[in-house]
Amino acid sequence: QFLCCICLDVFTDPVTTPCGHNFCKNCINEHWNSNDQYLCPMCKETFYTRPELHINTFISEMVSQFRQGAQQKASSSSSEQQAAKPEVPCDVCTGTKLQALKSCLVCLTSYCETHLEPHLTMSGLKRHHLMDPVENLEDRMCMKHDKPLELFCKTDQTCVCMLCSVLDHKTHEFVPLKEEYEGKKAELGKTEAEIQEMIQKRRLKIQEIKHSVVLSEEAADREKAEGVQVFTALKESVERSLNELIETIEEKQRTTEKQAEDFIKELEQEISELKKRSSEVEKLSHSEDHLHLLQSFPSLKAAPPTKDWTEVSVCLPYEGTVVKAVAQLEETLSEQMKKLFAEAELKRVQQYAVDMTLDPDTANPKLILSADVKQVYCGDVKKNLPDNPERFSVFPGVLGKQSLSSGRFYFEVQVKEKTNWALGVAKESINRKGQITVSPRYGYWTIWLRNGNEYKALDDPSVRLSLKSQPQKVGLFVDYEERLVSFYDVDAAALIYSFTGCSFTEKLYPFFSPWLNDGGENSALLIICPVNPTA
């Protein structure tokens, strides 16, 4: 936890980046000084302005305590090793044997300080090989020639004596034991460094995996929240459609009942009239008055006028009602799902919002930029500006200050009240002089508006866009690794167009064109807006 992933050592002046990772102050500054982008070495998050770093006092104090603890532990370990070092007795002492100070590989004897004196003063003994006292000196002698093991045979990878080198190993390659020792010690140091590096890489991988789990949990929470929102809206839509269906059926039933009541009432009225006529006919038929029957007969001969009920019926108005309702619901849900998914997609890309500004060094001399370099429009007068290689000389364009060579970014631009404009991204190597062609073939991925109502995606070939409404604010999203450039109508939460399979091989810069002023008809500003995530 206290190791810097850049220098692989304990933190010195630890600082914390905005993404929450810690580094030595000098390490992260040197890392950013040597790179074009300000990336976190741990999670690769891009900072479009260089973060101002301050020493993390909490971690600094923790590191200080760790260093003290490590030093105490090392000191204690060293003392334990000294204490565990075996005491070698002097081979010459009689009675109580003193601790040996040195061992002689020639004499195969260990000497205390007193008995070592001759080896330090007598010329013949001075040439003997002395070393720190060790036990079992006979193990350091050649078993065959009874001579000290002073050489290392590189051919057989074994320790040998002088006689071995001229007898048994005379054609082999030899080096002194000390030389081979230094070489092997250096190899062990390299192996230890490699092992420590492997340990550190695995610690970093653990941190990376843990960080991925945290990001996964956050993403899962977002997805669950969006899922609840989407399915709740769909559920409400289904319930609303069901209520409308029931109300429609009940209304039809009421209409049917009313129609039946009217028919019955009319029939009952006719029955009443017919009964009355039947009574009159029956009464006349029993009359004995010859004159009266003959005079009344013409008027009672025929039945009273009535309606022809043969083709009259009460229809059942429900056939196909559910089918029609389901079809309507399917259409409604489809539109609603598209809208909800578009809102969710827009909300997803908005999390990659960056603080975008315009680059004055690239602006056409007719363009006028605001003081905060977030607004631009085209004036009528060409300013006298240096014709540097980055500047658009004829085309009324300007690039963004922030570039992208990996990862994702998103920003929004207000295009309200403009009749002509162009937005997109462009390669760093685009032609900026003279008349230019804006298309992917020449390093541009853009959409534009012409004459107030003609929208096009300047693809190869260009694509005319049919939009339900005129965008007032356009969102632009780029995914470098996915080779994707997408444009959104922010207010409608709708996708306008996507360039896919783009050939990104270098830095990308946002591209803006407010187009010409057109005598004041197109004088409205292009404005880079703060991103407010959709609800």
Side-chain angles (χ1 to χ4, degrees):
Q1 288 89 343
F2 298 123
L3 293 180
C4 171
C5 72
I6 299 177
C7 66
L8 302 179
D9 202 352
V10 178
F11 290 129
T12 301
D13 295 334
V15 295
T16 304
T17 59
C19 58
H21 295 113
N22 301 301
F23 308 93
C24 299
K25 184 176 183 180
N26 189 50
C27 290
I28 190 64
N29 281 328
E30 288 184 356
H31 177 75
W32 284 344
N33 290 339
S34 61
N35 288 277
D36 294 334
Q37 287 186 306
Y38 306 128
L39 293 175
C40 172
M42 283 286 290
C43 66
K44 308 303 180 186
E45 182 172 345
T46 302
F47 309 114
Y48 293 96
T49 58
R50 184 163 180 158
E52 185 177 353
L53 302 175
H54 301 284
I55 293 176
N56 190 319
T57 55
F58 175 73
I59 295 180
S60 181
E61 291 172 1
M62 294 289 289
V63 169
S64 178
Q65 293 178 16
F66 170 76
R67 287 183 186 276
Q68 293 175 4
Q71 290 171 357
Q72 291 173 0
K73 184 177 180 181
S75 176
S76 174
S77 177
S78 176
S79 300
E80 289 174 359
Q81 290 176 0
Q82 290 294 334
K85 191 173 183 181
E87 291 186 4
V88 179
C90 175
D91 293 329
V92 182
C93 290
T94 58
T96 304
K97 291 183 176 291
L98 299 177
Q99 183 176 349
L101 186 63
K102 291 290 182 180
S103 294
C104 177
L105 291 179
V106 179
C107 304
L108 295 180
T109 306
S110 297
Y111 301 99
C112 65
E113 185 176 2
T114 301
H115 294 121
L116 183 64
E117 183 66 23
H119 279 78
L120 302 176
T121 57
M122 295 176 64
S123 59
L125 296 178
K126 281 184 178 180
R127 291 193 295 272
H128 288 194
H129 187 183
L130 299 176
M131 62 179 297
D132 289 336
V134 292
E135 296 176 318
N136 303 322
L137 282 169
E138 60 272 11
D139 293 341
R140 298 175 178 270
M141 301 297 291
C142 177
M143 300 294 291
K144 187 173 183 180
H145 303 112
D146 201 26
K147 296 293 183 182
L149 299 172
E150 300 178 277
L151 299 174
F152 183 79
C153 177
K154 296 180 76 68
T155 305
D156 291 342
Q157 292 291 301
T158 186
C159 298
V160 297
C161 67
M162 286 294 186
L163 285 177
C164 289
S165 68
V166 297
L167 295 176
D168 303 331
H169 300 259
K170 61 181 179 181
T171 61
H172 294 179
E173 181 183 357
F174 301 95
V175 293
L177 285 182
K178 184 176 182 181
E179 182 179 333
E180 186 65 20
Y181 161 82
E182 294 295 341
K184 289 291 190 288
K185 188 175 182 180
E187 288 184 22
L188 288 175
K190 184 179 179 182
T191 300
E192 172 64 13
E194 290 174 351
I195 292 173
Q196 289 300 324
E197 184 177 357
M198 292 172 67
I199 291 172
Q200 181 59 20
K201 284 182 178 178
R202 280 150 181 78
R203 285 175 175 167
L204 291 175
K205 181 56 69 174
I206 289 173
Q207 292 183 9
E208 179 184 330
I209 292 172
K210 287 182 177 179
H211 182 63
S212 297
V213 171
V214 172
L215 293 180
S216 177
E217 289 177 350
E218 293 174 352
D221 290 339
R222 287 196 302 271
E223 289 298 314
K224 285 191 289 186
E226 290 176 5
V228 169
Q229 180 182 358
V230 168
F231 280 93
T232 299
L234 295 177
K235 179 182 175 183
E236 290 174 352
S237 183
V238 170
E239 291 177 346
R240 188 164 52 251
S241 295
L242 176 59
N243 292 333
E244 290 174 358
L245 172 62
I246 293 173
E247 177 61 30
T248 299
I249 293 173
E250 290 178 349
E251 178 62 30
K252 287 184 176 181
Q253 175 62 17
R254 287 192 292 270
T255 302
T256 300
E257 291 176 354
K258 178 66 168 60
Q259 184 185 42
E261 288 177 1
D262 291 342
F263 285 161
I264 291 171
K265 186 177 181 179
E266 189 174 352
L267 285 166
E268 288 177 343
Q269 180 66 33
E270 289 189 356
I271 290 172
S272 177
E273 291 293 331
L274 289 171
K275 283 182 176 182
K276 182 179 179 182
R277 176 62 59 89
S278 174
S279 176
E280 290 176 352
V281 169
E282 182 182 6
K283 182 179 179 181
L284 183 61
S285 65
H286 291 92
S287 174
E288 297 294 335
D289 187 342
H290 300 155
L291 179 63
H292 176 68
L293 186 147
L294 293 173
Q295 289 178 338
S296 301
F297 179 80
S299 61
L300 297 177
K301 175 183 177 182
T306 56
K307 184 176 180 179
D308 183 4
W309 293 91
T310 306
E311 302 298 329
V312 176
S313 64
V314 176
C315 63
L316 300 178
Y318 311 114
E319 184 177 354
T321 303
V322 174
V323 174
K324 292 178 183 178
V326 170
Q328 181 62 43
L329 174 61
E330 184 179 5
E331 182 179 348
T332 302
L333 288 179
S334 178
E335 291 297 323
Q336 192 168 2
M337 286 175 68
K338 288 180 182 178
K339 186 174 186 301
L340 290 171
F341 288 148
E343 290 176 352
E345 173 64 13
L346 179 58
K347 190 174 182 179
R348 183 186 70 82
V349 301
Q350 283 178 328
Q351 66 181 310
Y352 299 105
V354 297
D355 185 14
M356 185 61 62
T357 55
L358 303 170
D359 185 357
D361 292 336
T362 66
N364 179 284
K366 278 192 174 184
L367 298 187
I368 300 173
L369 277 61
S370 62
D372 63 357
V373 287
K374 287 183 177 290
Q375 304 180 19
V376 60
Y377 70 98
C378 187
D380 296 321
V381 179
K382 184 176 181 179
K383 299 189 292 295
N384 185 18
L385 297 174
D387 188 21
N388 49 290
E390 298 85 6
R391 191 180 304 283
F392 288 94
S393 61
V394 176
F395 192 89
V398 58
L399 297 182
K401 190 76 172 177
Q402 291 71 27
S403 65
L404 182 73
S405 58
S406 65
R408 309 171 183 88
F409 71 17
Y410 173 86
F411 60 92
E412 295 177 353
V413 181
Q414 179 179 303
V415 295
K416 184 179 180 180
E417 297 179 359
K418 291 197 67 62
T419 58
N420 295 276
W421 52 261
L423 289 173
V425 292
K427 290 182 178 179
E428 185 177 29
S429 60
I430 54 170
N431 175 35
R432 311 179 193 195
K433 304 302 179 184
Q435 296 295 333
I436 62 176
T437 302
V438 181
S439 75
R441 183 183 305 175
Y442 298 96
Y444 293 87
W445 292 268
T446 62
I447 62 172
W448 75 3
L449 168 67
R450 288 292 175 269
N451 305 318
N453 57 8
E454 182 184 341
Y455 292 91
K456 277 188 179 181
L458 303 182
D459 210 333
D460 290 324
S462 62
V463 178
R464 183 180 292 273
L465 303 175
S466 297
L467 306 182
K468 291 183 177 180
S469 61
Q470 289 197 332
Q472 303 297 299
K473 190 186 296 181
V474 176
L476 193 154
F477 171 69
V478 178
D479 189 324
Y480 198 95
E481 280 71 28
E482 292 295 327
R483 300 185 299 170
L484 173 71
V485 180
S486 294
F487 299 85
Y488 295 87
D489 181 339
V490 177
D491 296 326
L495 178 67
I496 297 175
Y497 190 79
S498 284
F499 292 87
T500 58
C502 306
S503 57
F504 297 153
T505 56
E506 56 188 87
K507 285 184 180 178
L508 298 177
Y509 287 86
F511 169 74
F512 307 82
S513 175
W515 210 245
L516 302 177
N517 191 21
D518 292 338
E521 290 186 11
N522 189 39
S523 61
L525 298 165
L526 278 184
I527 304 174
I528 300 174
C529 307
V531 175
N532 297 314
T534 55

